[in-house]
Amino acid sequence: MIELGPVLFILGMLLTFLAIAMCVPATIDLVNHYSDWQVFLGVAGITLFVGVLTMLATRTVRGSKLNLRQAFLLTTLSWLVISSFAALPFFFSDLDMTLADSFFESMSGVTTTGATVISDLNHAPPGILMWRALLQWLGGLGIIVIALAILPTLSVRGMQLFLTEAFDLADKVLPRAAQLAAGLGVMYFIITFICAISLWFAGMDVFDAVAHAMSTISTGGYSTKDDSIGYFNIPAIHWIVTFGMILGSLPFIHYVGIAHGDIRSILRDRQVQCFLMLVLIAVALVSIWITYYINLDPYDAVRFAAFNVVSIITGTGYITMDFSTWGGFAVTLMLFLMFLGGCSGSTTCGIKIFRFQVLYAMAKVRFARLLRPHGIFIPYYNRKPIPESLSESVTGFVFLYIICFCLVAIGLAAMGLDSITALSGAATTISNVGPGLGSIIGPAENFDKLPDAAKWLLSFAMLLGRLEIFTVLLLLTPRFWSK
């Protein structure tokens, strides 16, 4: 059996951090004279009590080692526990949200999906709006950085937890988990701060700038407005957010490398090169299409295409226009882009670019062997031979990804949803994108109209996508719990 003591102790510490974070929206509501500050303060007290009590009950395991199975269990439980307690402010707020709505909104925030069930964001309390942005910011990289920062103090091997989050550490800049966590956390904060300042100078007020900076760099997509970024009809804001989403979709380990003087590392990464090339091609195609399809000015077409393409491919989910009105070609391309995701080691989800590169290298070798059966061909990725374990991991992930997508889509269809809603709902949640397609969950709509059963299923799909499927499904196998 798995020893739960070390896992529970760390969960207690994470809940303690979460309780402290709840004080931020509580203060904002108090200053702005919204009664929800009492909700946040009360929930913070409950969360702090549970967190501290859990730590005290398991304090004798501080020096124990965390094995690999405990690391996988801790990763999944962290997202579930954090999402559960983070849902309480939604449930007890004046928004009159059901338990399914509250958990869906919380899970969507922590997994940086960006799908929402709140209809009137323009009149929602500022504390709730900031809480949504803060959840996405923590979910993007903050929670894992906190975990990595505290694990060394418990004499546990924090790098194992980092590996379960599917970060590529083959060329890690810093050797120790604590140093890596500190470097990632500092760069994450600096980039978010620069984005917030830029949005403020471009025309947003301080509150909107901070909230959108957090959900931009985390590639989360929660906005403070019903019309998302389209509410701010300022081209400079659109370009700043577009660039910010790209920054959030690149490997953060390279930013740490840049801070240590290795400026060229990010440019040498084939994953980054391929991602940027795909973005440019998709933006060019959509720009040309909508220039003629909806008769837009070429500059505006490029701006709207760049923003929405980057938003979808990175899984952020912001919109400036309802791209479902752009015609069949653009909508089909957007549906395909939902599955791609950004780079490994970023805040994005989806299948991720490096897996497509590995599959391409394997397919290329397979073609060569068909033509020359006795030849020796080795697949390469990033100028290095691909280990057999990596190729097995990639093919297994893609297989499970497709199976899970199909099962979620079939489950939604069985609940009475139309095929477009079922397929796009499964795609957007398992890829942690945000908006779906169709008249129910399309870019101009939200997920409020779905039945509660669908919201629970999609919440599970968001967890699967954020934790790279294997991490969650592994816990459902009997062998994981055996000796």
Side-chain angles (χ1 to χ4, degrees):
M1 294 296 291
I2 299 175
E3 174 58 46
L4 297 179
V7 174
L8 293 175
F9 186 86
I10 298 169
L11 288 177
M13 297 187 74
L14 291 175
L15 285 178
T16 302
F17 282 116
L18 185 68
I20 296 172
M22 289 179 183
C23 296
V24 174
T27 302
I28 291 174
D29 272 347
L30 179 61
V31 170
N32 289 277
H33 309 290
Y34 282 85
S35 60
D36 274 351
W37 72 267
Q38 302 175 56
V39 172
F40 279 107
L41 204 60
V43 173
I46 295 173
T47 306
L48 181 64
F49 174 77
V50 174
V52 172
L53 186 65
T54 303
M55 290 170 59
L56 292 176
T58 56
R59 65 185 182 277
T60 56
V61 300
R62 280 182 58 94
S64 51
K65 299 288 184 180
L66 194 71
N67 59 41
L68 189 59
R69 289 197 296 175
Q70 288 172 324
F72 278 106
L73 181 61
L74 173 61
T75 304
T76 303
L77 286 182
S78 294
W79 298 98
L80 283 174
V81 171
I82 293 295
S83 298
S84 299
F85 279 86
L88 295 178
F90 296 115
F91 184 71
F92 291 110
S93 70
D94 293 334
L95 297 178
D96 193 29
M97 298 173 66
T98 65
L99 184 60
D101 288 337
S102 302
F103 187 80
F104 180 94
E105 193 78 13
S106 175
M107 181 61 77
S108 179
V110 174
T111 58
T112 69
T113 302
T116 184
V117 295
I118 301 177
S119 298
D120 193 6
L121 291 172
N122 292 343
H123 299 94
I128 286 290
L129 297 177
M130 182 57 67
W131 182 234
R132 296 163 81 243
L134 192 58
L135 284 179
Q136 294 203 317
W137 193 75
L138 292 174
L141 200 66
I143 288 179
I144 199 66
V145 167
I146 291 173
L148 275 168
I150 64 177
L151 286 177
T153 67
L154 306 175
S155 301
V156 298
R157 291 167 287 182
M159 197 62 69
Q160 289 179 344
L161 178 61
F162 200 67
L163 288 170
T164 64
E165 272 281 273
F167 283 80
D168 182 10
L169 299 180
D171 298 314
K172 53 180 179 287
V173 180
L174 303 173
R176 295 176 60 86
Q179 290 177 288
L180 184 61
L184 289 170
V186 169
M187 295 308 300
Y188 192 57
F189 177 81
I190 290 175
I191 295 173
T192 305
F193 179 78
I194 293 174
C195 184
I197 292 295
S198 301
L199 291 173
W200 180 52
F201 277 118
M204 283 189 181
D205 60 38
V206 175
F207 179 85
D208 286 333
V210 172
H212 285 94
M214 288 194 291
S215 55
T216 295
I217 302 304
S218 66
T219 60
Y222 270 159
S223 178
T224 60
K225 308 296 181 183
D226 288 323
D227 295 330
S228 189
I229 299 297
Y231 174 89
F232 307 95
N233 193 23
I234 302 175
I237 289 178
H238 295 177
W239 286 115
I240 290 169
V241 174
T242 300
F243 185 64
M245 291 186 291
I246 292 176
L247 286 179
S249 63
L250 302 181
F252 271 77
I253 192 69
H254 286 310
Y255 299 140
V256 181
I258 292 172
H260 284 77
D262 189 4
I263 300 176
R264 294 180 299 176
S265 65
I266 193 169
L267 300 177
R268 293 194 303 262
D269 193 334
R270 293 289 177 84
Q271 180 184 202
V272 174
Q273 296 170 6
C274 182
F275 171 73
L276 295 178
M277 181 182 68
L278 287 174
V279 168
L280 288 175
I281 292 173
V283 169
L285 291 174
V286 174
S287 298
I288 295 171
W289 174 264
I290 64 176
T291 297
Y292 295 99
Y293 188 83
I294 58 177
N295 197 27
L296 273 181
D297 176 81
Y299 170 74
D300 289 335
V302 171
R303 174 163 59 91
F304 287 123
F307 184 96
N308 291 281
V309 163
V310 170
S311 178
I312 294 301
I313 196 173
T314 61
T316 306
Y318 282 141
I319 60 168
T320 50
M321 287 184 69
D322 185 358
F323 58 78
S324 65
T325 63
W326 289 357
F329 172 77
V331 172
T332 303
L333 181 60
M334 288 294 194
L335 181 61
F336 170 72
L337 293 177
M338 284 182 183
F339 292 98
L340 289 185
C343 300
S344 176
S346 68
T347 59
T348 61
C349 299
I351 296 177
K352 292 196 172 76
I353 297 300
F354 90 95
R355 290 193 176 96
F356 286 101
Q357 291 177 293
V358 170
L359 290 174
Y360 171 75
M362 293 167 60
K364 185 178 177 182
V365 166
R366 182 58 183 164
F367 272 110
R369 287 174 180 167
L370 288 174
L371 295 174
R372 298 173 59 188
H374 301 292
I376 299 176
F377 305 97
I378 301 174
Y380 281 81
Y381 168 71
N382 230 3
R383 297 174 293 274
K384 296 178 182 178
I386 298 176
E388 186 176 351
S389 59
L390 177 59
S391 61
E392 292 175 353
S393 173
V394 168
T395 53
F397 174 85
V398 174
F399 171 75
L400 287 176
Y401 193 94
I402 295 172
I403 291 297
C404 290
F405 162 73
C406 293
L407 290 176
V408 172
I410 291 171
L412 293 174
M415 296 174 191
L417 300 177
D418 63 272
S419 58
I420 296 297
T421 301
L423 289 171
S424 65
T428 194
T429 50
I430 201 169
S431 299
N432 302 113
V433 175
L437 300 175
S439 59
I440 299 179
I441 58 172
E445 304 296 333
N446 60 36
F447 288 71
D448 181 50
K449 298 176 183 177
L450 297 183
D452 283 354
K455 293 171 185 174
W456 287 113
L457 177 60
L458 293 178
S459 296
F460 180 69
M462 288 186 267
L463 181 67
L464 277 177
R466 185 62 182 91
L467 297 184
E468 307 266 317
I469 298 179
F470 279 114
T471 308
V472 179
L473 295 185
L474 190 64
L475 270 61
L476 303 180
T477 60
R479 189 172 181 179
F480 177 84
W481 301 96
S482 64
K483 291 185 179 180

